[in-house]
């Protein structure tokens, strides 16, 4: 499948769940457990994406680990998304230059 | 429009980093811009670009996108109850395109009893313009960078994931359960020696397992969505 077709399918599977309830199901209610399950999906998917993917995003993994720690500490301190992004990338850049 | 400006200000730099990382991950610039124009969903675009970079198969990317964005189904159901009676189906269909975590948060917190289509269009269009133009700027900037810098920008994707997840871990217990369980499952799937599994399927499987575990373990304590 070409990248263009994949992106078109991504657009469809994103738009359809956004559109269906607005257009057709104005007063629908879901079972509470399904509600919770859907609400927790973003956390679970971020977890699965970060580990182990982040560790092998750059070689050597040691540089990636430095970036992970830097980003996690700044995020924990409540810094903005852009600050977390910029410092993580900077940490990896510096580590790649010196390792 | 002015209620949408904080979203636009937040989206623009994130979209620039999306453009930068997508190009660094090996996606053609025009495809990255197209993704912002027709998909318009932050997290799944970063994930999609990352999976393109890993050489993951197409159906895995599409399924992951579906799983990640299915939460908008809930948000749209909630917003749909506040549309005026006179709203036509095509107006609803157009307003639905712009439902994201951030526009949903602003719309649902707005004091108005009814959300008119023109209010939603203004909100969505401002956010959308910032997202699309930011991606374009990022793609342009990405084409003039050194290889080491591009490699470190590939990590930028993960820095964003961490930046999105960690504050949630501080805020809610179910987020901790969901994230730790999914990490354990994806780690186990990655390091187990028994069978080969594409990284896309690992992410889908671990996501479902983590969200399921959190939904079971954190029963009735917080039902508001």
């Amino acid at each position: 499948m070409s990248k263009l077709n994949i992106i078109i399918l991504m657009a469809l599977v994103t738009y359809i769940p956004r559109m269906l309830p607005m257009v057709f199901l104005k007063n629908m209610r879901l079972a509470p457990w399904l509600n919770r399950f859907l609400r927790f999906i973003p956390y679970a998917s971020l977890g699965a994406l970060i580990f182990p993917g982040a560790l092998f995003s750059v070689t050597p993994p040691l540089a990636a680990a430095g970036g992970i720690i830097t980003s996690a500490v700044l995020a924990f301190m409540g810094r903005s998304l852009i600050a977390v992004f910029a410092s993580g990338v900077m940490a990896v850049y510096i580590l790649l230059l010196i390792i | 429009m002015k209620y949408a400006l904080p979203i636009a200000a937040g989206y623009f730099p994130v979209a620039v980093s999306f453009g930068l990382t997508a190009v660094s991950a090996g996606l053609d610039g025009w495809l990255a811009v197209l993704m912002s124009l027709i998909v318009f969903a932050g997290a799944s675009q970063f994930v999609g670009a990352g999976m393109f970079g890993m050489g993951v198969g197409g159906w895995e990317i599409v399924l992951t996108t579906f799983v990640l964005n299915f939460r908008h189904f809930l948000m749209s159901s909630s917003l749909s109850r506040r549309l005026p009676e006179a709203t036509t189906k095509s107006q609803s269909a157009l307003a639905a395109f712009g439902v994201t975590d951030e526009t949903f948060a602003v719309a649902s917190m707005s004091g108005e009893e009814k959300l008119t289509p023109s209010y939603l269009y203004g909100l969505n269009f401002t956010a959308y313009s910032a997202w699309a133009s930011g991606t374009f700027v990022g793609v342009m900037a990405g084409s003039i960078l050194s290889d080491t810098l591009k490699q470190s920008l590939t990590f930028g994707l993960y820095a964003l994931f961490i930046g999105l997840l960690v504050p949630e871990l501080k805020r809610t217990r179910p987020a901790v359960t969901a994230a730790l369980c999914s990490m354990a499952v994806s780690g186990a799937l990655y390091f187990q020696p028994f069978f080969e599994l594409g990284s896309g399927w690992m992410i889908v499987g671990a996501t479902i397992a983590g969200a399921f575990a959190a939904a079971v373990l954190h029963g009735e304590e917080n039902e508001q969505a």
Side-chain angles (χ1 to χ4, degrees), chain A residues 15 18 28 39 44 51 76, chain B residues 40 76 81 93 99 170 182 186:
Chain A
Y15 180 62
R18 278 173 174 166
M28 199 216 33
R39 208 147 41 83
F51 186 78
F76 193 80
Chain B
F40 187 41
S76 285
R81 288 176 212 141
V99 176
K170 279 171 71 180
S182 74
S186 73

Side-chain angles (χ1 to χ4, degrees), chain A residues 30-63:
Chain A
L30 294 172
W33 71 268
L34 189 58
N35 217 337
R36 289 199 304 276
F37 174 73
L38 292 172
R39 208 147 41 83
F40 299 154
I41 277 184
Y43 312 136
S45 62
L46 286 172
L49 285 162
I50 292 167
F51 186 78
L55 214 44
F56 304 111
S57 59
V58 290
T59 40
L62 189 60

Side-chain angles (χ1 to χ4, degrees), chain B residues 41-81:
Chain B
S44 63
Q45 286 184 226
F46 279 103
V47 175
M51 289 170 95
F52 276 124
M54 295 179 220
V56 164
W59 291 112
E60 295 165 57
I61 298 179
V62 173
L63 185 65
T64 306
T65 305
F66 178 70
V67 170
L68 263 176
N69 288 335
F70 195 72
R71 66 183 188 284
H72 295 139
F73 187 84
L74 284 179
M75 298 178 185
S76 285
S77 328
S78 154
L79 290 180
S80 71
R81 288 176 212 141

